């Protein structure tokens, strides 16, 4: 049984593929972005403290995110997808030391030209209730603003605008290399071509995970 870590730029398709992996391969999905946004929506103390950070595209501090991860995971419960975590080398090391321990894991890097990211992110819409992800250009909901899967409200994330995307990409570019180096050194990193269609990316994941 392998735990799977999804690495890639904002908008590279991690959440889209994680949803497919849950339904087709029986994974549990753990997205730190989704967990943090849920805290903001609840207006919890944590949510109020981090909402400006998230909306500006900056990272939340490592200890907060790690704690959130810890309380939402039970490795005895099966295979997990780590989506959006780790974001930097400190988180990568903490994930091994404090969460995964001796559990076998694999890291998948969603590789794509960053010039297409902006278009993807600005056209993303998400369901507030079930988290379904839409792209207005290739997979818009049948009825404007209404989720095809659950009938929930389809909305645009506050950090999905041209200015904040720029910040998110800069954060990504300044943190990703040591993370890739870390997993390459452990011999568990595989890159996939994330510029292909969602179906073709999914096929690559099935092939990699065997
Ligand atoms: P997070 O929620 O993790 O956002 P992100 O990393 O910026 O990634 P996204 O969710 O934007 O992209 P995705 O790769 O999931 O793409 P998706 O599948 O949706 O983090 C948000 C914020 O939370 C951070 O900025 C930070 O503040 C905080 N945070 C989270 N984790 C943290 C951590 N560990 N430490 C500290 N802070 C943390 O697809 C995008 C769009 O493209 C969609 O419209 C989709 O339909 C479309 N699409 C997907 N695949 C394809 C395809 N193959 N072809 C065409 N379109 C596609
Ligand atoms: Mg996502």
């Amino acid at each position: 049984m392998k735990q799977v870590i999804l690495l890639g730029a904002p908008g590279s398709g991690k959440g889209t593929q994680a949803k497919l992996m849950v339904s087709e391969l029986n994974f549990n999905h753990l997205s730190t972005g989704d967990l943090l946004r849920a805290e903001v929506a609840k207006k919890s103390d944590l949510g109020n403290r981090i909402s400006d950070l998230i909306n500006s595209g900056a990272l939340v501090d490592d200890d907060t995110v790690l704690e959130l991860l810890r309380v939402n995971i039970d490795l005895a419960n099966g295979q997990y997808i780590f989506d959006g975590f780790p974001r930097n080398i400190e988180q990568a090391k903490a994930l091994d030391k404090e969460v995964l321990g001796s559990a076998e894991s694999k890291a998948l890097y969603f590789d794509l030209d960053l010039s297409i990211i902006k278009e993807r992110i600005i056209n993303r819409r998400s369901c507030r209730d079930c988290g379904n992800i839409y792209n207005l250009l290739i997979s818009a909901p049948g009825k404007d603003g209404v989720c095809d899967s659950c009938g929930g409200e389809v909305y645009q994330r506050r950090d999905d605008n041209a200015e904040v995307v720029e910040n998110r990409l800069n954060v990504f570019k300044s943190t990703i290399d040591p993370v890739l180096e870390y997993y390459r050194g452990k011999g568990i990193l595989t890159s996939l071509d994330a510029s292909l269609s969602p179906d073709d990316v999914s096929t690559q994941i099935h092939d990699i995970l065997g």
Side-chain angles (χ1 to χ4, degrees):
M1 184 167 69
K2 279 202 178 77
Q3 311 299 327
V4 176
I5 298 157
L6 304 187
L7 304 168
S12 57
K14 305 178 297 292
T16 300
Q17 294 302 323
K19 290 211 166 295
L20 292 172
M21 291 166 75
V22 168
S23 61
E24 295 169 359
L25 299 170
N26 213 20
F27 275 91
N28 299 296
H29 181 200
L30 235 168
S31 155
T32 45
D34 288 348
L35 293 173
L36 292 166
R37 280 185 291 279
E39 291 296 322
V40 173
K42 273 195 283 187
K43 298 193 189 318
S44 65
D45 287 347
L46 169 61
N48 292 335
R49 185 159 57 79
I50 62 176
S51 105
D52 285 349
L53 273 178
I54 296 183
N55 292 335
S56 72
L59 292 182
V60 173
D61 69 278
D62 295 346
D63 289 344
T64 298
V65 183
L66 192 62
E67 182 54 23
L68 202 55
L69 195 72
R70 261 202 223 99
V71 300
N72 282 283
I73 192 168
D74 175 12
L75 283 185
N77 202 18
Q79 289 182 297
Y80 277 83
I81 303 162
F82 294 85
D83 166 5
F85 190 99
R87 283 300 229 270
N88 55 34
I89 185 65
E90 291 77 19
Q91 290 185 6
K93 289 179 179 168
L95 178 63
D96 273 344
K97 190 165 166 229
E98 298 177 39
V99 180
L100 289 176
S102 59
E104 214 187 333
S105 57
K106 195 154 186 57
L108 306 184
Y109 178 51
F110 285 52
D111 194 12
L112 87 171
D113 188 326
L114 297 186
S115 63
I116 67 170
I117 295 275
K118 231 182 216 173
E119 185 186 77
R120 277 198 190 179
I121 288 199
I122 286 163
N123 286 293
R124 171 171 47 197
R125 298 293 183 272
S126 318
C127 175
R128 237 183 244 291
D129 295 340
C130 71
N132 215 21
I133 300 167
Y134 297 92
N135 176 333
L136 294 183
L137 302 178
I138 60 168
S139 59
K143 189 170 170 210
D144 207 19
V146 181
C147 179
D148 293 343
S149 301
C150 76
E153 181 200 354
V154 171
Y155 80 112
Q156 183 170 27
R157 272 170 46 179
R158 283 198 57 195
D159 59 346
D160 279 354
N161 59 67
E163 191 189 321
V164 177
V165 170
E166 226 27 91
N167 293 343
R168 288 161 62 193
L169 283 176
N170 286 337
V171 169
F172 170 75
K173 284 188 247 176
S174 66
T175 50
I176 188 64
D177 288 344
V179 177
L180 294 179
E181 205 43 56
Y182 180 74
Y183 289 117
R184 200 173 285 120
K186 286 166 66 86
I188 61 166
L189 179 70
T190 308
S191 289
L192 52 83
D193 182 352
S195 68
L196 303 178
S197 71
D199 281 351
D200 287 343
V201 176
S202 174
T203 302
Q204 293 178 77
I205 292 177
H206 281 254
D207 290 348
I208 293 166
L209 298 181

